[in-house]
Amino acid sequence: ELNDLMKIIKGPDFPTGGIISSVSGIKDAFETGRGRIMLRAKTSRSDKEISITEIPFGVHKSALVREIETAIVNSSIIGVSHVRDESDRTGLKISIGLDGKVASETILNFLFQKTKLQT
């Protein structure tokens, strides 16, 4: 029964987007009415920039930008040149500029751990 339901209803649809990182929380929610769902920001990477286009539900964009800036300054991460909110009426975009000294994957994993890019 539960597997049939999960074929029809994949999971919740959050208005700010984000990526659900584990199906087990959704399954627990369907079974017991309680479950923890891990959400991650939707990102894309290049050699010069990390772009964030969707954020987890309940996270305020301006607070997230400040939190990213604080995490970068307090941890003395090298390789980040700027953090900018480039959102406009067409959609959300937070740009993190890279110098190329550190791999973008390394910086992104650090930000997932230290900020609300993953909740």
Side-chain angles (χ1 to χ4, degrees):
E1 291 180 9
L2 181 61
N3 290 331
D4 294 335
L5 177 65
M6 290 188 71
K7 288 178 185 173
I8 298 168
I9 302 172
K10 306 283 184 202
D13 181 21
F14 297 106
T16 57
I19 299 169
I20 297 174
S21 60
S22 174
V23 181
S24 64
I26 297 171
K27 194 171 186 176
D28 290 343
F30 281 145
E31 285 177 342
T32 64
R34 294 175 181 248
R36 180 167 168 83
I37 299 173
M38 292 292 290
L39 277 176
R40 266 192 164 186
K42 185 174 183 181
T43 61
S44 60
R45 295 176 291 174
S46 70
D47 292 339
K48 300 286 183 187
E49 180 181 73
I50 297 172
S51 295
I52 301 165
T53 54
E54 295 178 5
I55 58 175
F57 182 71
V59 175
H60 294 283
K61 179 183 61 172
S62 58
L64 179 62
V65 170
R66 281 193 308 271
E67 187 178 21
I68 291 170
E69 290 172 342
T70 303
I72 290 169
V73 169
N74 289 346
S75 300
S76 302
I77 296 178
I78 55 171
V80 176
S81 61
H82 69 268
V83 178
R84 282 194 306 250
D85 180 6
E86 297 177 354
S87 303
D88 57 13
R89 61 188 172 113
T90 61
L92 181 137
K93 183 177 179 189
I94 299 171
S95 170
I96 302 171
L98 305 175
D99 291 339
K101 298 176 185 175
V102 180
S104 60
E105 185 176 347
T106 304
I107 292 174
L108 194 54
N109 285 336
F110 173 81
L111 293 174
F112 279 135
Q113 291 175 359
K114 300 293 181 183
T115 66
K116 291 185 180 176
L117 283 177
Q118 176 174 303
T119 58

